Amino acid sequence: MPVTSAIYNAHTDKVNSILADIEQQFTLDENDLISITRHFHQLFNLGLGEYNQPMAMIPTFVTGVPDGTETGTFLSLDLGGTNLRVCHVQFHGNQTFTLKQKKYQVSEALKTGEATVLFDYLADSVDAFLTSTEAEAEAEVPQQGALRQNPFDEDPPAVPLGLTFSFPVEQTAIDEGYLLTWTKGFAAKNAVGKDIVKLLQDAFGRKHLHVKCVALVNDTVGAALSRAYTSGGCVLGAIFGTGTNGAYLEQVANITKLGNNAPATAGGVMMVNTEWGAFDNARVVLPSTPFDNKVDRESINPRFQAYEKFISGMYLGEITRNILLALVDAAPKPILFGGKATAHLNKHYGLDTEMLSLVESAWGGDADAASDADDVKLRNFSAPLEEGALAPVTLQRLKRTQEVVQKHLGYEPGEVSLRDAALVRWIGALVVRRAARLSACAVATVAIQMGFVTGVGKEVRPAEAAAAPGKSYSIGIDGSLYQHYPGFEERMREALRVLLSEEVEKKVEMGLAKDGSGVGGEPFVL
């Protein structure tokens, strides 16, 4: 019978079948990948032509990318998750930069309270950053000597600041944008529908800070611009971390919803913030499992950000936790941990994606055939798992994994068997592998939309990119999932070979967007 969040009939001779069913639910074959990518492309074009679509395809009014020769010194403010960052960035003009930053914690009360309180905190953080680095800042940014307004003095030029704001915003100018919805656990009141730059500027005014927000960008735009600055070119910025999103260079002529408001640009292109985390909210093609449905139902925004809930770091640990609990609670006999659940395992979001990375690192990575063969053997409940029968390398992997599971899930020594460790690692890898393959669908869609290829799957044909003729498909990626989970990029590339062909996949250049959220908001004020 299909596995649900409650597993019945878990007799010894049925366990292998139950695990196989879980594997089938989280496996995406070639047809799945192609169907998802085609639907992605349809929603891209729908969002480019109409406002108020779930796939918002937001014009950013960013009409080019840096090439690494830009110079200047600026401030940036980055809000997009648990932490707020204030950065002081100096561009050296040789594809290098110097970044000084401080992080400030954003509490749950700030995330869900009044918007004015949240933005006052942003202003206070900028003030604290500038005050703590005052001597150095005055030497590098001359305007900062007049940071606080004095009613008896003439107003000096305000300190320019770029805001990286990693939430869906309908942008109407480089320094104006209206919040469409909160994501990633934020729900501050009286912010939706408001101009984010004005909310911040008003907070600066209340604090008497002589700072002017001159550029508003999404973190995906920041990732693209940061990568472009350090590598000399980039056409797609993507985030695969706590959340997920992408922004790419689109032909202005294709953004038909702009109508007569379409700006004339030198290259005829503009960065578009896709807001692809909302792809397929209606679950037309995304292959939901009961575990996904439970996570969605218990989230702060049920039935929204569907794609993000399948692939982002905020949710992968929770999906895994629900699978593990189902195996712990299986009846009439538990499949995992002898039926014992710890406080960590019982707690909502008590298992984070960082643990999955640590488990995979302890195992030694999942990109080799030997580990995949071990997977099959180690979860075979028809045969006993004895240390003496295991290869030394397999035993070492299991013991390292066992230690991580014990430590991070709160089990005592002896409460996690080698089989338990193998199952935790296998389940986490299943969930993240699906996330990586789904991530590749978005990357492939941009390649199709930009004209790097025509068709998808077996019908794909290489083509010259309309937005970047003769250039490779260069992607700047930010986010802890891409950066820290072993084998994540290779799993993406496996799917890209299916969707774009091996020939095209080899031309896809993926690189970490160094400090994209802090650096990428700045080239606009150069």
Side-chain angles (χ1 to χ4, degrees):
M1 76 177 200
V3 172
T4 67
S5 54
I7 296 176
Y8 298 99
N9 203 25
H11 296 279
T12 301
D13 59 343
K14 301 284 187 179
V15 172
N16 288 342
S17 176
I18 289 170
L19 298 179
D21 192 45
I22 292 175
E23 182 175 34
Q24 187 275 328
Q25 290 185 61
F26 283 87
T27 298
L28 300 174
D29 62 21
E30 179 177 342
N31 291 332
D32 292 325
L33 294 173
I34 291 172
S35 175
I36 290 165
T37 302
R38 284 176 173 160
H39 192 49
F40 235 120
H41 195 218
Q42 291 172 359
L43 296 186
F44 261 36
N45 284 286
L46 186 61
L48 289 170
E50 300 177 10
Y51 287 100
N52 302 316
Q53 293 296 322
M55 188 85 83
M57 306 300 286
I58 300 168
T60 66
F61 296 87
V62 177
T63 57
V65 297
D67 60 12
T69 62
E70 294 82 359
T71 60
T73 306
F74 303 93
L75 292 175
S76 70
L77 180 63
D78 169 29
L79 178 67
T82 305
N83 294 316
L84 163 72
R85 289 197 306 161
V86 185
C87 307
H88 175 265
V89 191
Q90 183 175 11
F91 297 100
H92 303 304
N94 58 356
Q95 297 188 345
T96 67
F97 60 86
T98 302
L99 175 69
K100 298 170 185 176
Q101 63 174 324
K102 287 196 176 182
K103 293 183 179 180
Y104 302 87
Q105 192 78 17
V106 182
S107 67
E108 291 301 314
L110 287 169
K111 290 180 182 179
T112 58
E114 282 292 329
T116 52
V117 177
L118 173 63
F119 281 87
D120 279 347
Y121 179 72
L122 268 59
D124 284 336
S125 299
V126 172
D127 187 17
F129 174 81
L130 291 170
T131 301
S132 67
T133 58
E134 185 176 3
E136 186 175 12
E138 286 181 357
E140 298 191 57
V141 186
Q143 302 99 316
Q144 288 181 8
L147 174 66
R148 287 196 172 276
Q149 296 179 29
N150 185 330
F152 301 103
D153 295 337
E154 292 185 8
D155 284 344
V159 179
L161 176 140
L163 171 62
T164 303
F165 190 75
S166 307
F167 302 93
V169 170
E170 191 68 67
Q171 205 152 342
T172 52
I174 195 64
D175 59 353
E176 182 179 80
Y178 297 83
L179 180 64
L180 295 174
T181 182
W182 287 113
T183 58
K184 292 178 281 192
F186 278 72
K189 302 174 183 66
N190 298 313
V192 173
K194 302 287 182 65
D195 178 8
I196 294 303
V197 174
K198 187 175 188 307
L199 288 174
L200 180 61
Q201 202 62 55
D202 287 348
F204 286 148
R206 287 191 294 273
K207 302 296 177 180
H208 306 292
L209 292 177
H210 205 46
V211 177
K212 181 173 176 57
C213 182
V214 297
L216 170 66
V217 299
N218 186 270
D219 54 351
T220 54
V221 176
L225 297 172
S226 173
R227 180 67 180 170
Y229 184 83
T230 57
S231 67
C234 182
V235 297
L236 167 64
I239 305 296
F240 298 113
T242 303
T244 185
N245 193 13
Y248 71 101
L249 277 175
E250 178 61 270
Q251 296 289 325
V252 173
N254 291 338
I255 314 174
T256 56
K257 65 184 177 184
L258 285 174
N260 295 331
N261 295 321
T265 66
V269 296
M270 180 189 293
M271 294 292 295
V272 168
N273 168 20
T274 66
E275 289 299 335
W276 69 36
F279 166 72
D280 202 31
N281 280 344
R283 307 292 179 94
V284 174
V285 294
L286 284 175
S288 295
T289 70
F291 309 105
D292 297 304
N293 294 340
K294 185 172 187 293
V295 169
D296 177 54
R297 186 173 63 253
E298 295 174 348
S299 71
I300 198 170
N301 55 349
R303 309 308 297 174
F304 289 92
Q305 296 298 106
Y307 184 66
E308 184 167 78
K309 289 170 183 172
F310 276 72
I311 73 171
S312 73
M314 182 171 181
Y315 301 100
L316 299 184
E318 182 65 2
I319 294 170
T320 303
R321 185 184 73 89
N322 278 289
I323 301 172
L324 299 184
L325 276 178
L327 298 180
V328 168
D329 293 338
K333 185 177 180 180
I335 298 173
L336 196 61
F337 301 134
K340 179 180 178 179
T342 63
H344 288 286
L345 203 52
N346 282 326
K347 182 182 177 183
H348 198 211
Y349 289 90
L351 190 165
D352 60 29
T353 306
E354 180 185 12
M355 181 196 148
L356 302 184
S357 296
L358 293 172
V359 164
E360 195 60 49
S361 295
W363 180 257
D366 66 346
D368 60 272
S371 67
D372 290 338
D374 284 338
D375 273 344
V376 175
K377 179 170 63 176
L378 294 174
R379 68 175 186 271
N380 180 9
F381 274 68
S382 300
L385 185 61
E386 300 176 355
E387 289 192 18
L390 296 172
V393 64
T394 301
L395 184 58
Q396 290 172 4
R397 283 175 160 178
L398 282 174
K399 285 187 175 295
R400 290 196 303 264
T401 304
Q402 186 181 47
E403 290 176 5
V404 172
V405 173
Q406 285 175 178
K407 177 181 178 181
H408 288 271
L409 289 184
Y411 284 98
E412 297 294 329
E415 293 182 337
V416 178
S417 69
L418 294 180
R419 180 86 74 188
D420 292 336
L423 280 177
V424 171
R425 182 263 157 185
W426 171 70
I427 290 165
L430 267 183
V431 172
V432 178
R433 184 173 187 267
R434 184 187 68 168
R437 290 170 74 80
L438 282 171
S439 300
C441 293
V443 172
T445 301
V446 174
I448 296 167
Q449 179 65 23
M450 290 190 66
F452 283 98
V453 297
T454 58
V456 62
K458 291 184 174 61
E459 299 174 359
V460 75
R461 296 290 182 273
E464 191 173 75
K471 298 289 184 67
S472 60
Y473 183 20
S474 178
I475 307 170
I477 304 179
D478 201 356
S480 55
L481 192 59
Y482 172 81
Q483 186 173 1
H484 298 301
Y485 190 90
F488 190 82
E489 179 178 332
E490 177 51 34
R491 292 311 192 198
M492 286 179 66
R493 288 188 174 277
E494 285 178 1
L496 287 176
R497 288 192 280 274
V498 171
L499 294 167
L500 300 181
S501 79
E502 291 189 16
E503 176 188 355
V504 174
E505 180 272 326
K506 290 176 182 176
K507 297 179 181 178
V508 177
E509 295 180 0
M510 294 187 196
L512 191 64
K514 186 179 179 184
D515 296 304
S517 294
V519 174
E522 299 314 311
F524 311 109
V525 291
L526 292 171

